[in-house]
Amino acid sequence: MGWGDLGALGEPSKETPNLDQMAAEGMLFLDFYTANPLCSPSRAALLTGRLPVRNGFYTTNGHARNAYTPQDIVGGIPDSELLLPELLKKAGYINKIIGKWHLGHRPQFHPLRHGFDEWFGSPNCHFGPYDNRERPNIPVYRDWEMVGRYYEDFKIDLKTGEANLTQLYLQEALDFISKQQASQQPFFLYWAIDATHAPVYASKQFLGTSQRGLYGDAVREIDDSIGKILNHLQRLGISENTFVFFTSDNGAALISAPKQGGSNGPFLCGKQTTFEGGMREPAIAWWPGHIPAGRVSHQLGNVMDLFSTSLSLAGLQPPSDRQIDGIDLLPVILQGKLIDRPIFYYRGNELMAVRAGLYKAHYWTWSNSWEEHGKGIDFCPGQSVSGVTTHTQEEHTYLPLLFHLGRDPGEKFPLSFASEEYQRAVERLSGLVQQHKATLVPGQPQLNMCDQAVMNWSPPGCEKLGKCLKAPESDPKKCPWPH
């Protein structure tokens, strides 16, 4: 979902009443970011509190390339990384993931090996349908074993956009919360639904109900589900003891727009880019009785902060044997403080930009290559900004492109290199970059190798269902990452 998809952030059709109410009852973050403009690395960052370049969720197959975890990826979340649920276990938490995992699908990367106690969902995105010969359909898991495959047992109608998955994910959430409340067990629920990712889907009662087409139908269903989850917490009498945070993994995918893509509001470009539209996210914190209603924060936040903030809520310290990039947002959320910190915008192995205060400096610009653009792949449709949305990788290390995001949130008017304002801001930002790079130890890249033999041919549990498929011979190759 994009920053501009919420009524509370100005979406004209105002079709997110529950999220808007959540914002009215809690704190709306206007300057909240993901750690990467793509799904898998941002999820790895959320659960480890570390930049993808540190936790291994990047590629060195090409400079500044976006990479994720399709079915043929060999790598995944390394055992050496400590995930939030692993740490919360020490404080007696029961942890569940519902929906998309996306941190590797081979057995060693399974979420139940990395701190989760329960899982209902899928290791990959709901792409398909596939023929189960060249490529298998994606499995859906309950805990350790698959319970079926997308398109076969979990239907998604690509013609109408109908699928019941969000309703299944909602019921899983309500049941899990009820169970933990009944046993007085502290819990962590990671509700990672994916209906707004192309191919977009919604259940029958939401189809055709939005001003925004099928994408809007999916947003309306997610919004309705979040309303039901919050109401459930209130009905069970545990809302004042439950911290809830809503955000997204990357900006709206404008390549799928307008039919299957959302809105990034006033921001430039979308998913896959390190412009604001790719990385600034809608974000709401809700905790009745603790967060004063109707708060709006300009704190620079990041999904990695949810790692540190959650540990703080559980009375735990972040691990001290590694660099943690997230900060504890509780002083911001509970006392309205502002913490001075930078935001780093990575694309693959390259630091593309940095923000501090209202200034953002681009050290590299690239939307995508001319070759890909020529095939109709456009991450910035209708938003060409000369010298900014470049189709070759442009380095600006010695003379960064600088924007004042307060006056120019759309990154359309770079500041004059000759101005005093430019000199002052760049001096500060470049100091932050030097400091960051001096201590950066990149992790072993996990997203370099692909192999058809590792796809979801025979996931655990396939024998019981008669759904095991024959894998081809192993033939590892470097993954091609064109973006």
Side-chain angles (χ1 to χ4, degrees):
M1 283 175 75
W3 192 94
D5 278 332
L6 304 193
L9 292 168
E11 201 290 309
S13 32
K14 298 273 187 270
E15 291 179 346
T16 52
N18 296 289
L19 284 163
D20 298 348
Q21 186 175 340
M22 184 184 179
E25 292 172 1
M27 179 175 274
L28 181 64
F29 285 84
L30 298 180
D31 298 81
F32 195 86
Y33 290 87
T34 182
N36 192 271
L38 204 66
C39 40
S40 298
S42 66
R43 289 157 196 263
L46 166 78
L47 290 174
T48 62
R50 287 153 55 77
L51 285 162
V53 73
R54 292 192 217 274
N55 64 37
F57 259 65
Y58 71 105
T59 183
T60 51
N61 288 358
H63 177 250
R65 302 294 165 135
N66 289 319
Y68 67 109
T69 54
Q71 302 198 54
D72 55 352
I73 199 77
V74 171
I77 196 71
D79 279 340
S80 55
E81 289 299 319
L82 285 170
L83 274 61
L84 177 59
E86 289 176 74
L87 297 166
L88 289 175
K89 266 186 184 300
K90 295 176 183 172
Y93 278 72
I94 297 289
N95 309 303
K96 178 157 186 158
I97 168 174
I98 297 172
K100 185 165 80 165
W101 169 237
H102 232 28
L103 299 186
H105 59 277
R106 297 169 72 205
Q108 64 267 41
F109 307 127
H110 193 291
L112 271 60
R113 287 198 193 279
H114 293 272
F116 285 101
D117 300 292
E118 298 180 23
W119 180 26
F120 179 71
S122 179
N124 309 87
C125 222
H126 56 278
F127 296 141
Y130 299 120
D131 62 5
N132 284 342
R133 287 185 299 277
E134 289 291 308
R135 192 169 284 260
N137 277 313
I138 309 287
V140 174
Y141 279 78
R142 177 167 300 284
D143 300 332
W144 286 109
E145 297 188 339
M146 72 178 277
V147 287
R149 293 183 188 268
Y150 281 141
Y151 297 96
E152 297 170 25
D153 314 280
F154 294 87
K155 304 284 191 233
I156 303 169
D157 188 323
L158 293 184
K159 284 197 183 75
T160 64
E162 185 181 344
N164 205 35
L165 293 168
T166 303
Q167 292 304 307
L168 295 179
Y169 294 150
L170 168 61
Q171 198 55 52
E172 283 287 320
L174 300 177
D175 291 349
F176 175 73
I177 292 166
S178 295
K179 192 168 90 183
Q180 304 321 312
Q181 189 268 341
S183 61
Q184 298 293 291
Q185 189 78 39
F187 67 88
F188 166 54
L189 172 60
Y190 175 33
W191 198 64
I193 72 290
D194 65 356
T196 48
H197 189 303
V200 170
Y201 62 79
S203 58
K204 195 165 192 173
Q205 72 258 42
F206 288 94
L207 286 177
T209 63
S210 166
Q211 304 289 310
R212 307 179 65 198
L214 181 56
Y215 181 85
D217 297 341
V219 170
R220 288 200 64 236
E221 184 167 15
I222 289 170
D223 176 78
D224 181 78
S225 301
I226 289 165
K228 288 189 165 88
I229 290 169
L230 300 184
N231 287 339
H232 193 58
L233 294 171
Q234 287 171 319
R235 261 202 317 278
L236 293 175
I238 56 171
S239 60
E240 296 202 1
N241 205 21
T242 310
F243 177 79
V244 185
F245 202 95
F246 168 84
T247 190
S248 174
D249 61 347
N250 44 246
L254 299 185
I255 186 174
S256 312
K259 287 195 171 172
Q260 302 237 340
S263 163
N264 295 314
F267 302 121
L268 186 62
C269 299
K271 179 178 177 176
Q272 303 258 14
T273 76
T274 49
F275 300 111
E276 292 296 285
M279 290 185 61
R280 203 189 295 206
E281 305 307 325
I284 304 166
W286 185 86
W287 191 12
H290 300 269
I291 301 174
R295 291 293 168 97
V296 174
S297 178
H298 287 284
Q299 172 64 44
L300 297 194
N302 195 292
V303 291
M304 297 180 291
D305 302 341
L306 298 176
F307 176 89
S308 304
T309 306
S310 300
L311 292 178
S312 179
L313 283 162
L316 300 169
Q317 292 295 318
S320 56
D321 64 341
R322 61 199 64 209
Q323 178 68 46
I324 300 295
D325 296 293
I327 63 170
D328 179 4
L329 289 176
L330 284 188
V332 176
I333 291 165
L334 300 179
Q335 295 147 36
K337 292 192 172 167
L338 282 177
I339 300 164
D340 187 26
R341 63 88 73 89
I343 295 291
F344 296 110
Y345 301 71
Y346 270 89
R347 183 165 174 162
N349 57 351
E350 185 60 76
L351 178 62
M352 304 287 283
V354 65
R355 176 180 175 183
L358 287 166
Y359 291 102
K360 178 179 179 183
H362 290 267
Y363 295 89
W364 287 87
T365 51
W366 191 40
S367 49
N368 64 337
S369 67
W370 281 117
E371 185 191 357
E372 291 287 299
H373 193 257
K375 295 177 190 168
I377 295 167
D378 191 351
F379 301 139
C380 311
Q383 287 190 306
S384 175
V385 181
S386 179
V388 179
T389 54
T390 54
H391 291 295
T392 51
Q393 294 188 8
E394 299 292 334
E395 186 174 4
H396 310 277
T397 307
Y398 302 106
L399 211 55
L401 281 186
L402 183 72
F403 296 93
H404 185 289
L405 294 177
R407 301 193 297 261
D408 175 26
E411 296 169 282
K412 292 181 173 63
F413 306 101
L415 270 67
S416 161
F417 299 136
S419 68
E420 196 183 318
E421 182 184 14
Y422 178 92
Q423 305 294 339
R424 237 185 5 251
V426 165
E427 192 177 343
R428 182 181 176 215
L429 291 165
S430 294
L432 291 169
V433 168
Q434 279 166 3
Q435 201 180 336
H436 171 69
K437 287 190 166 175
T439 58
L440 181 70
V441 181
Q444 189 68 32
Q446 295 295 308
L447 308 180
N448 278 355
M449 297 307 293
C450 286
D451 184 353
Q452 276 204 304
V454 306
M455 293 202 286
N456 294 289
W457 300 105
S458 296
C462 67
E463 303 87 353
K464 292 180 194 171
L465 301 172
K467 286 191 173 284
C468 300
L469 302 166
K470 189 172 169 11
E473 290 292 307
S474 178
D475 182 20
K477 293 186 171 74
K478 279 190 168 185
C479 311
W481 300 116
H483 308 301

